[in-house]
């Protein structure tokens, strides 16, 4: 599904190469299975961003996706948070990529949504749709949070929801997140930094002088499949 590749590129960090590909991106949208109204919204997003100053686009991107966790583009951030299950889920997702013949760089996180979309774009229309359905509730959560921030990036996520053919109650989700405290303000980011420093110091003190070599059980990779039930559950309580 070529449109997934297009949305993957638009959701990744803006580059000069992306701007230069404006016409090609637009043609792919016009040839996509998206409804006419959604196509027009996506075409407007492409036109406005590709014709604006690149540094301004990059600044907007950083302000949305690099400040706070509520708009994280890492799937498992909204499912597992900082729990140990997140590491196991990442290992399993990497294995899925390998089985499909997709290799990723060592510094790439497998649950980065643009990478996941890139993967789905190679798996055929039906598998692509099923892959979107597995994460549709996370995509909906991000769409609603972006709406709340009045960010036009929401159109990318609404396009994915439409491509998934999932019937989601977005109004209910909007109501659930209405009272969320913003996590991208300077005050909120300072609080997170302070908490992380306290945890780091506590862990450092408790490990001093101990033999921290991993046990055999910790070393052994366990095959834990991607938990579809967790992904399909409401992500609001886990975000």
């Amino acid at each position: 599904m070529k449109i997934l590749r297009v949305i993957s590129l638009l959701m990744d960090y803006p580059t000069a190469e992306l701007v230069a590909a404006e016409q090609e991106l637009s043609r792919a949208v016009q040839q996509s299975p998206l409804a006419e109204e959604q196509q027009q919204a996506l075409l407007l997003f492409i036109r406005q961003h590709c014709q604006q100053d690149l540094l301004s686009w990059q600044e907007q991107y950083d302000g949305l996706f690099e400040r706070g966790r509520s708009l994280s583009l890492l799937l498992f951030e909204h499912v597992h948070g900082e729990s140990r299950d997140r590491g196991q889920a990442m290992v399993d997702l990497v294995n899925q990529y390998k089985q499909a013949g997709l290799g990723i760089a060592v510094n790439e996180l497998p649950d980065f949504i643009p990478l996941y979309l890139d993967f789905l774009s190679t798996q055929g229309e039906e598998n692509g749709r099923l892959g979107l359905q597995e994460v549709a509730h996370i995509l909906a959560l991000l769409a609603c949070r972006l709406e709340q921030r009045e960010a036009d990036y929401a159109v990318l996520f609404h396009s994915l929801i439409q491509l998934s053919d999932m019937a989601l109650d977005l109004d209910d989700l909007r109501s659930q997140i209405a009272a969320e405290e913003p996590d991208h303000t300077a005050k909120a980011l300072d609080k997170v930094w302070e908490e992380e420093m306290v945890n780091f110091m506590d862990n450092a003190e408790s490990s001093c002088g101990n033999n921290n070599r991993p046990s055999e059980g910790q070393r052994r990779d366990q095959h834990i499949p991607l938990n579809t039930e967790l992904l399909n559950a409401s992500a609001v309580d886990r975000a």
Side-chain angles (χ1 to χ4, degrees):
M1 211 187 303
K2 188 175 182 180
I3 186 62
L4 295 182
R5 173 63 175 159
V6 170
I7 297 175
S8 168
L9 291 169
L10 294 172
M11 200 180 292
D12 209 339
Y13 189 73
T15 64
E17 290 77 13
L18 181 62
V19 172
E22 177 186 354
Q23 295 304 316
E24 184 179 353
L25 295 171
S26 297
R27 282 195 298 272
V29 170
Q30 293 168 333
Q31 296 167 1
S32 74
L34 287 168
E36 176 67 21
E37 183 179 357
Q38 196 62 39
Q39 283 189 21
Q40 293 304 315
L42 195 49
L43 288 170
L44 178 62
F45 177 92
I46 294 171
R47 183 166 63 253
Q48 289 183 334
H49 283 284
C50 287
Q51 294 179 7
Q52 76 174 118
D53 178 68
L54 178 58
L55 290 178
S56 297
W57 188 3
Q58 292 171 338
E59 183 179 0
Q60 179 195 11
Y61 186 94
D62 287 336
L64 287 172
F65 302 116
E66 302 297 335
R67 294 173 63 87
R69 294 174 174 172
S70 64
L71 290 178
S72 172
L73 292 178
L74 300 175
L75 288 168
F76 296 137
E77 176 73 39
H78 304 285
V79 179
H80 301 298
E82 297 301 318
S83 73
R84 292 177 180 270
D85 292 338
R86 183 175 183 174
Q88 293 296 337
M90 298 262 250
V91 169
D92 182 66
L93 190 53
V94 168
N95 287 336
Q96 289 188 33
Y97 290 162
K98 288 181 178 178
Q99 290 171 8
L102 176 67
I104 65 174
V106 293
N107 62 337
E108 288 185 298
L109 293 173
D111 62 336
F112 185 48
I113 297 177
L115 178 60
Y116 182 68
L117 295 177
D118 202 13
F119 161 68
L120 292 182
S121 73
T122 67
Q123 300 304 297
E125 186 172 338
E126 181 63 21
N127 286 333
R129 181 164 51 252
L130 292 174
L132 290 176
Q133 290 176 1
E134 287 190 344
V135 298
H137 286 79
I138 298 174
L139 300 175
L141 175 64
L142 291 169
C144 292
R145 284 177 172 164
L146 285 163
E147 288 177 355
Q148 196 176 55
R149 299 267 289 272
E150 298 183 348
D152 59 358
Y153 268 89
V155 70
L156 303 184
F157 293 87
H158 283 299
S159 296
L160 293 173
I161 294 167
Q162 187 178 113
L163 290 167
S164 76
D165 284 341
M166 285 281 284
L168 301 172
D169 188 346
L170 296 185
D171 287 335
D172 179 62
L173 191 50
R174 292 181 184 109
S175 298
Q176 291 183 55
I177 68 171
E180 284 184 339
E181 291 291 331
D183 69 347
H184 62 287
T185 63
K187 183 178 179 180
L189 292 171
D190 285 344
K191 182 179 179 182
V192 171
W193 182 85
E194 290 170 2
E195 290 173 351
E196 289 178 347
M197 278 300 296
V198 169
N199 291 336
F200 173 78
M201 293 304 294
D202 287 345
N203 291 336
E205 289 176 5
S206 66
S207 65
C208 239
N210 294 332
N211 183 349
N212 288 315
R213 295 177 62 187
S215 67
E216 288 303 315
Q218 289 172 314
R219 285 178 178 169
R220 189 177 301 115
D221 290 334
Q222 300 178 13
H223 179 75
I224 300 178
L226 190 64
N227 194 326
T228 303
E229 291 184 1
L230 276 177
L231 288 172
N232 286 336
S234 173
V236 173
D237 296 332
R238 301 184 177 87

